[in-house]
Amino acid sequence: MISKQDLGGAWTLRGADHELPATVPGCVHTDLLAAGAIPDPFLDDNETTVGWVGRADWAYRRDIAWDGPAHERVDLVFDGLDTVAAVALGGTPLGATRNMHRGYRYDVTALLDGSPQPLDVLFTSAYTEAERVRELLGERANAYPEPFNFIRKMACSFGWDWGPTLVTAGIWRPVRLEGWSVARLATVRPLATWSDGAGRLDLTIEAERLHDVPLSVRVLLDGREVARGELPPGDSRLSLSANPDFVRQWAPIGYGSQPLHDLTVELSTGDVLLDRWQRRTGFRGVSIDRGPDAAGSRFVIEINGEPVLVKGVNWIPDDIFPARMTRARYELRLREAVAAGVNLIRVWGGGIYEDRAFYEVCDELGLLVWQDFLFACADYPEEEPLFSEVVAEARENVTRLAPHPSLITWSGNNENLWLHGAMGWSDEASWGERYYLETLPAIVADLDPSRPYQAGSPWSGSWDHLPNDTGHGTFHSWEVWNREDYLNYRDSAPRFVAEFGWQAPPAWTTLRDAVSDDPMLPDSPGVLHHQKAEDGNGKLARGLAPHFGTPSSTEAWHYLTQLNQVRAIRAGVEHWRSYWPHTGGSILWQLNDLWPVTSWAAIDGAGRYKPLYFELASLHAARGLTVQPRDGGLVVAVLNDSPAGWAGRLAVHRRTTGGELRAAWAVPVEVAARQVTLVEIPRDVTAIGDGEFLVAELDQARALWFAVPDKDFPHPDAALTVTADPVPGGLDVLIRADGLARDVLLQADRIHPEAVADRGFLTLLPGESATVRVRGPVELDPALVKAPWVVTDLATVLAGDE
Ligand code: BMA
């Protein structure tokens, strides 16, 4: 039986006149940080100070010896090397690497004689290699001034419009020795599908063999043998199928349960078990309805034959040093997504193929995964030495991720098909089109026909329409954030919004911890260093002006820009939900951050929630209401994304800020499961006077409608009464409003840096109250809820009264 010996743990790192202990898996930056040899790159502009690390070369070393049972072969196996490395054992070169997204295996049988041998992994700066390839192949256009498109490495390592430039090197995934005899399982590729009420397993294995002996393969599901096959001498590839009648259907969250089945593959010769492979898998059917209709081409994801309204978020690497990720952190972040009502997560092409733990947690949670191939925002050369790396990396990862039922689609790239034309990038020897339209679809068709392939995002389905056409396929909505007002989301009804977003700063404490500026201002140097988007602060200010005017302080800027982010995302998601199934869903840019920064994220780089995070749960609720302008009037869109019909009495009231009722109207409504109904509000109800607003209610759902921008509404003094009760684990804060109180916000991190509230902005009608639960690691002082900016509301901020 194959035997494995982990080589992780303590290594030595040398480079740039340093010699220090290294941790494997890891990277140079985290070793330097642990040794106190570099300052925290997240603080102030230290990112720039430590820039030299990414330009230096680094040497990892440790002694190794095979201490397992005697075997015919011993392999040295790297699951991931970041990125350009020369590997040598006992001074004998084993090979050179240039791709972070692949694994490497070297036969070291002859080199391990029992005595410890030095294993050296010498990393050349990724810049050196990328610039060499650029020199060789010629310049290719790129949205960022860094050469990430010339090397197969996490693109955002080189900086992004939300990320620092921290170009890593290191043994970033596990490394081990594997001893084996006769044969081993080189790849196992299970495709588990569901159709016509039954599950089906198609499985292909490839064996690496040392001898021409007969081999046999056994496939077990939940311990029961479901298939068996023979590999005669000379053969190394075998495909098997099974129709196990005892498996259950896997469904995304909101559509059923997530049964997972233990899948085991055993390779033997005669009675001798040689290798065993184990994973969990789930059975489901996936398709994307991209058919034509009167409005263009649909984009509706269907799981087990049922259309799924996508309530998605885009995912970037959760750590700029991805080796720091742990299963616990993946689990935390993905559970946070689910708690925000998310049912799909898109792994964006400027990051990585995530660790197995990521997909396993998604399998368990019923969170659908859309996986980009790793190309983003640039023209990419199709020539060597890149082409064969792309093929190898794609084949390896399509195979590696095959067992995961959560993974439902492969997508060729992020924005490259779009930007090439839209930015006028041309006159280049090649730019990547061949990858997206030929190479990758062929690999997916060959290795994983169970999952739909998309050429990229956005993509209209063919060159007949521009890639970012609202009428066809997927759409990225960026004009609105970059140049327009968020209400312009209402100007079109795209078929599927795969990216849209609005910036806001991180939680106050996150910003304060990252910046030593005194005073800290929206445009003081440290704050600006933690804003990477082109004219980001200008866009924040221009987005704010028509709704909230000019903030009176840094604290007001922070509150209002966070509120504007919420307003913008609400405008988009409610509008698109009201168009379901014409609009197949939306994927927010972006769930997470990887350092403290002003960005589009809902959860900031320190893991604190922006108010947007809480808003997502309400925007994604199975049942909800929204008032929308339609055809010169107003409608209530009754949104029912639940598996049951929704019937009741929809009431719309026109009220004043003091609580007076000016008009009332009600109507019975009935909305079928997974449907939306638009109910027109009579004009006499929508005749909204100064200081008036509409309240629409159905069961527990409520929607408000204000006819004028926030800054023009005559907000009364909210007259808040705030009382904090100590309870085990924190405080229950009761907030009562005598008048209309819009956008009351309790910033828990201002009570204690680790305190967390259970809600973001809340609006109270006159006489209403709400309890915000604040929990922290230590006893929290109830008096602190009265401190400035802990509890505030829109009227107070607009009046400059804090
Ligand atoms: C799109 C994304 C990212 C980027 C975001 C915000 O281009 O694909 O590349 O961070 O917009 O600008």
Side-chain angles (χ1 to χ4, degrees), residues 290-311:
R290 288 176 273 199
D293 60 17
S297 326
R298 289 184 292 272
F299 191 94
V300 177
I301 291 177
E302 298 185 348
I303 309 294
N304 301 321
E306 243 197 290
V308 173
L309 166 64
V310 169
K311 299 182 275 201

PDB file of all heavy atoms in Angstrom, residues 290-311:
ATOM      1  N   ARG A 290     -29.535  28.861 -21.814  1.00  0.00           N
ATOM      2  CA  ARG A 290     -29.008  30.011 -22.541  1.00  0.00           C
ATOM      3  C   ARG A 290     -29.757  30.201 -23.858  1.00  0.00           C
ATOM      4  O   ARG A 290     -29.239  30.774 -24.808  1.00  0.00           O
ATOM      5  CB  ARG A 290     -27.503  29.819 -22.787  1.00  0.00           C
ATOM      6  CG  ARG A 290     -26.691  29.986 -21.518  1.00  0.00           C
ATOM      7  CD  ARG A 290     -25.215  29.707 -21.701  1.00  0.00           C
ATOM      8  NE  ARG A 290     -24.907  28.299 -21.524  1.00  0.00           N
ATOM      9  CZ  ARG A 290     -23.673  27.816 -21.276  1.00  0.00           C
ATOM     10  NH1 ARG A 290     -22.646  28.638 -21.208  1.00  0.00           N
ATOM     11  NH2 ARG A 290     -23.464  26.528 -21.130  1.00  0.00           N
ATOM     12  N   GLY A 291     -30.978  29.668 -23.883  1.00  0.00           N
ATOM     13  CA  GLY A 291     -31.756  29.692 -25.117  1.00  0.00           C
ATOM     14  C   GLY A 291     -32.236  31.091 -25.487  1.00  0.00           C
ATOM     15  O   GLY A 291     -32.278  31.993 -24.655  1.00  0.00           O
ATOM     16  N   PRO A 292     -32.605  31.242 -26.779  1.00  0.00           N
ATOM     17  CA  PRO A 292     -33.089  32.542 -27.244  1.00  0.00           C
ATOM     18  C   PRO A 292     -34.528  32.785 -26.799  1.00  0.00           C
ATOM     19  O   PRO A 292     -35.294  31.847 -26.590  1.00  0.00           O
ATOM     20  CB  PRO A 292     -33.019  32.397 -28.769  1.00  0.00           C
ATOM     21  CG  PRO A 292     -33.139  30.936 -29.026  1.00  0.00           C
ATOM     22  CD  PRO A 292     -32.575  30.224 -27.835  1.00  0.00           C
ATOM     23  N   ASP A 293     -34.874  34.049 -26.636  1.00  0.00           N
ATOM     24  CA  ASP A 293     -36.270  34.428 -26.438  1.00  0.00           C
ATOM     25  C   ASP A 293     -36.461  35.800 -27.067  1.00  0.00           C
ATOM     26  O   ASP A 293     -35.526  36.343 -27.683  1.00  0.00           O
ATOM     27  CB  ASP A 293     -36.658  34.391 -24.947  1.00  0.00           C
ATOM     28  CG  ASP A 293     -35.826  35.331 -24.084  1.00  0.00           C
ATOM     29  OD1 ASP A 293     -35.177  36.250 -24.647  1.00  0.00           O
ATOM     30  OD2 ASP A 293     -35.816  35.157 -22.849  1.00  0.00           O
ATOM     31  N   ALA A 294     -37.645  36.360 -26.919  1.00  0.00           N
ATOM     32  CA  ALA A 294     -37.949  37.617 -27.607  1.00  0.00           C
ATOM     33  C   ALA A 294     -36.993  38.733 -27.185  1.00  0.00           C
ATOM     34  O   ALA A 294     -36.700  39.653 -27.955  1.00  0.00           O
ATOM     35  CB  ALA A 294     -39.393  38.020 -27.310  1.00  0.00           C
ATOM     36  N   ALA A 295     -36.474  38.647 -25.948  1.00  0.00           N
ATOM     37  CA  ALA A 295     -35.625  39.728 -25.448  1.00  0.00           C
ATOM     38  C   ALA A 295     -34.144  39.483 -25.736  1.00  0.00           C
ATOM     39  O   ALA A 295     -33.314  40.347 -25.470  1.00  0.00           O
ATOM     40  CB  ALA A 295     -35.849  39.881 -23.942  1.00  0.00           C
ATOM     41  N   GLY A 296     -33.778  38.319 -26.257  1.00  0.00           N
ATOM     42  CA  GLY A 296     -32.365  38.041 -26.514  1.00  0.00           C
ATOM     43  C   GLY A 296     -32.014  36.617 -26.158  1.00  0.00           C
ATOM     44  O   GLY A 296     -32.617  35.672 -26.666  1.00  0.00           O
ATOM     45  N   SER A 297     -31.033  36.436 -25.254  1.00  0.00           N
ATOM     46  CA  SER A 297     -30.648  35.087 -24.821  1.00  0.00           C
ATOM     47  C   SER A 297     -30.675  35.018 -23.308  1.00  0.00           C
ATOM     48  O   SER A 297     -30.051  35.833 -22.627  1.00  0.00           O
ATOM     49  CB  SER A 297     -29.242  34.726 -25.291  1.00  0.00           C
ATOM     50  OG  SER A 297     -28.956  35.294 -26.543  1.00  0.00           O
ATOM     51  N   ARG A 298     -31.383  34.002 -22.829  1.00  0.00           N
ATOM     52  CA  ARG A 298     -31.511  33.825 -21.368  1.00  0.00           C
ATOM     53  C   ARG A 298     -30.190  33.414 -20.729  1.00  0.00           C
ATOM     54  O   ARG A 298     -29.276  32.933 -21.402  1.00  0.00           O
ATOM     55  CB  ARG A 298     -32.538  32.717 -21.075  1.00  0.00           C
ATOM     56  CG  ARG A 298     -33.970  33.079 -21.367  1.00  0.00           C
ATOM     57  CD  ARG A 298     -34.893  31.933 -20.934  1.00  0.00           C
ATOM     58  NE  ARG A 298     -34.704  30.750 -21.764  1.00  0.00           N
ATOM     59  CZ  ARG A 298     -35.352  30.529 -22.909  1.00  0.00           C
ATOM     60  NH1 ARG A 298     -36.226  31.412 -23.360  1.00  0.00           N
ATOM     61  NH2 ARG A 298     -35.127  29.435 -23.607  1.00  0.00           N
ATOM     62  N   PHE A 299     -30.157  33.538 -19.409  1.00  0.00           N
ATOM     63  CA  PHE A 299     -29.078  32.925 -18.632  1.00  0.00           C
ATOM     64  C   PHE A 299     -29.682  32.540 -17.285  1.00  0.00           C
ATOM     65  O   PHE A 299     -29.695  33.323 -16.342  1.00  0.00           O
ATOM     66  CB  PHE A 299     -27.893  33.882 -18.449  1.00  0.00           C
ATOM     67  CG  PHE A 299     -26.672  33.189 -17.893  1.00  0.00           C
ATOM     68  CD1 PHE A 299     -25.690  32.691 -18.747  1.00  0.00           C
ATOM     69  CD2 PHE A 299     -26.514  33.000 -16.527  1.00  0.00           C
ATOM     70  CE1 PHE A 299     -24.573  32.033 -18.241  1.00  0.00           C
ATOM     71  CE2 PHE A 299     -25.401  32.341 -16.025  1.00  0.00           C
ATOM     72  CZ  PHE A 299     -24.424  31.860 -16.872  1.00  0.00           C
ATOM     73  N   VAL A 300     -30.240  31.342 -17.252  1.00  0.00           N
ATOM     74  CA  VAL A 300     -30.890  30.875 -16.024  1.00  0.00           C
ATOM     75  C   VAL A 300     -30.249  29.547 -15.622  1.00  0.00           C
ATOM     76  O   VAL A 300     -30.261  28.583 -16.383  1.00  0.00           O
ATOM     77  CB  VAL A 300     -32.414  30.704 -16.227  1.00  0.00           C
ATOM     78  CG1 VAL A 300     -33.063  30.142 -14.959  1.00  0.00           C
ATOM     79  CG2 VAL A 300     -33.066  32.043 -16.591  1.00  0.00           C
ATOM     80  N   ILE A 301     -29.680  29.525 -14.436  1.00  0.00           N
ATOM     81  CA  ILE A 301     -29.036  28.310 -13.936  1.00  0.00           C
ATOM     82  C   ILE A 301     -30.119  27.359 -13.432  1.00  0.00           C
ATOM     83  O   ILE A 301     -31.031  27.774 -12.702  1.00  0.00           O
ATOM     84  CB  ILE A 301     -28.021  28.660 -12.832  1.00  0.00           C
ATOM     85  CG1 ILE A 301     -26.840  29.400 -13.476  1.00  0.00           C
ATOM     86  CG2 ILE A 301     -27.553  27.414 -12.084  1.00  0.00           C
ATOM     87  CD1 ILE A 301     -25.775  29.876 -12.529  1.00  0.00           C
ATOM     88  N   GLU A 302     -30.028  26.106 -13.863  1.00  0.00           N
ATOM     89  CA  GLU A 302     -31.012  25.108 -13.443  1.00  0.00           C
ATOM     90  C   GLU A 302     -30.305  23.957 -12.751  1.00  0.00           C
ATOM     91  O   GLU A 302     -29.360  23.393 -13.289  1.00  0.00           O
ATOM     92  CB  GLU A 302     -31.790  24.587 -14.654  1.00  0.00           C
ATOM     93  CG  GLU A 302     -32.565  25.703 -15.339  1.00  0.00           C
ATOM     94  CD  GLU A 302     -33.456  25.225 -16.475  1.00  0.00           C
ATOM     95  OE1 GLU A 302     -33.317  24.054 -16.901  1.00  0.00           O
ATOM     96  OE2 GLU A 302     -34.271  26.035 -16.943  1.00  0.00           O
ATOM     97  N   ILE A 303     -30.780  23.637 -11.567  1.00  0.00           N
ATOM     98  CA  ILE A 303     -30.222  22.503 -10.829  1.00  0.00           C
ATOM     99  C   ILE A 303     -31.344  21.483 -10.658  1.00  0.00           C
ATOM    100  O   ILE A 303     -32.437  21.837 -10.202  1.00  0.00           O
ATOM    101  CB  ILE A 303     -29.689  22.935  -9.441  1.00  0.00           C
ATOM    102  CG1 ILE A 303     -28.747  24.143  -9.567  1.00  0.00           C
ATOM    103  CG2 ILE A 303     -28.994  21.759  -8.751  1.00  0.00           C
ATOM    104  CD1 ILE A 303     -27.456  23.886 -10.303  1.00  0.00           C
ATOM    105  N   ASN A 304     -31.064  20.271 -11.031  1.00  0.00           N
ATOM    106  CA  ASN A 304     -32.068  19.195 -10.995  1.00  0.00           C
ATOM    107  C   ASN A 304     -33.328  19.623 -11.749  1.00  0.00           C
ATOM    108  O   ASN A 304     -34.448  19.346 -11.322  1.00  0.00           O
ATOM    109  CB  ASN A 304     -32.394  18.816  -9.541  1.00  0.00           C
ATOM    110  CG  ASN A 304     -31.157  18.349  -8.792  1.00  0.00           C
ATOM    111  OD1 ASN A 304     -30.308  17.647  -9.357  1.00  0.00           O
ATOM    112  ND2 ASN A 304     -31.018  18.755  -7.545  1.00  0.00           N
ATOM    113  N   GLY A 305     -33.135  20.342 -12.821  1.00  0.00           N
ATOM    114  CA  GLY A 305     -34.247  20.742 -13.675  1.00  0.00           C
ATOM    115  C   GLY A 305     -35.013  21.954 -13.175  1.00  0.00           C
ATOM    116  O   GLY A 305     -35.929  22.428 -13.842  1.00  0.00           O
ATOM    117  N   GLU A 306     -34.628  22.489 -12.018  1.00  0.00           N
ATOM    118  CA  GLU A 306     -35.369  23.638 -11.465  1.00  0.00           C
ATOM    119  C   GLU A 306     -34.576  24.925 -11.630  1.00  0.00           C
ATOM    120  O   GLU A 306     -33.402  24.984 -11.228  1.00  0.00           O
ATOM    121  CB  GLU A 306     -35.609  23.419  -9.964  1.00  0.00           C
ATOM    122  CG  GLU A 306     -37.072  23.325  -9.610  1.00  0.00           C
ATOM    123  CD  GLU A 306     -37.282  23.524  -8.122  1.00  0.00           C
ATOM    124  OE1 GLU A 306     -36.890  22.644  -7.351  1.00  0.00           O
ATOM    125  OE2 GLU A 306     -37.847  24.566  -7.754  1.00  0.00           O
ATOM    126  N   PRO A 307     -35.188  25.959 -12.183  1.00  0.00           N
ATOM    127  CA  PRO A 307     -34.489  27.250 -12.299  1.00  0.00           C
ATOM    128  C   PRO A 307     -34.172  27.806 -10.907  1.00  0.00           C
ATOM    129  O   PRO A 307     -35.012  27.743 -10.016  1.00  0.00           O
ATOM    130  CB  PRO A 307     -35.510  28.154 -12.992  1.00  0.00           C
ATOM    131  CG  PRO A 307     -36.552  27.250 -13.546  1.00  0.00           C
ATOM    132  CD  PRO A 307     -36.552  26.008 -12.722  1.00  0.00           C
ATOM    133  N   VAL A 308     -32.977  28.310 -10.757  1.00  0.00           N
ATOM    134  CA  VAL A 308     -32.535  28.845  -9.465  1.00  0.00           C
ATOM    135  C   VAL A 308     -32.273  30.343  -9.607  1.00  0.00           C
ATOM    136  O   VAL A 308     -31.433  30.756 -10.412  1.00  0.00           O
ATOM    137  CB  VAL A 308     -31.248  28.138  -8.994  1.00  0.00           C
ATOM    138  CG1 VAL A 308     -30.688  28.802  -7.738  1.00  0.00           C
ATOM    139  CG2 VAL A 308     -31.508  26.651  -8.742  1.00  0.00           C
ATOM    140  N   LEU A 309     -33.002  31.144  -8.858  1.00  0.00           N
ATOM    141  CA  LEU A 309     -32.711  32.571  -8.807  1.00  0.00           C
ATOM    142  C   LEU A 309     -31.374  32.734  -8.078  1.00  0.00           C
ATOM    143  O   LEU A 309     -31.259  32.398  -6.897  1.00  0.00           O
ATOM    144  CB  LEU A 309     -33.816  33.316  -8.047  1.00  0.00           C
ATOM    145  CG  LEU A 309     -33.477  34.759  -7.627  1.00  0.00           C
ATOM    146  CD1 LEU A 309     -33.265  35.656  -8.843  1.00  0.00           C
ATOM    147  CD2 LEU A 309     -34.568  35.330  -6.736  1.00  0.00           C
ATOM    148  N   VAL A 310     -30.377  33.229  -8.796  1.00  0.00           N
ATOM    149  CA  VAL A 310     -29.043  33.322  -8.197  1.00  0.00           C
ATOM    150  C   VAL A 310     -28.931  34.566  -7.332  1.00  0.00           C
ATOM    151  O   VAL A 310     -29.175  35.685  -7.780  1.00  0.00           O
ATOM    152  CB  VAL A 310     -27.954  33.302  -9.291  1.00  0.00           C
ATOM    153  CG1 VAL A 310     -26.598  33.667  -8.703  1.00  0.00           C
ATOM    154  CG2 VAL A 310     -27.906  31.923  -9.933  1.00  0.00           C
ATOM    155  N   LYS A 311     -28.585  34.328  -6.074  1.00  0.00           N
ATOM    156  CA  LYS A 311     -28.337  35.401  -5.120  1.00  0.00           C
ATOM    157  C   LYS A 311     -26.877  35.223  -4.719  1.00  0.00           C
ATOM    158  O   LYS A 311     -26.560  34.541  -3.751  1.00  0.00           O
ATOM    159  CB  LYS A 311     -29.303  35.250  -3.941  1.00  0.00           C
ATOM    160  CG  LYS A 311     -30.771  35.346  -4.429  1.00  0.00           C
ATOM    161  CD  LYS A 311     -31.798  35.265  -3.333  1.00  0.00           C
ATOM    162  CE  LYS A 311     -32.149  33.851  -2.987  1.00  0.00           C
ATOM    163  NZ  LYS A 311     -33.469  33.755  -2.292  1.00  0.00           N
TER     164      LYS A 311
END
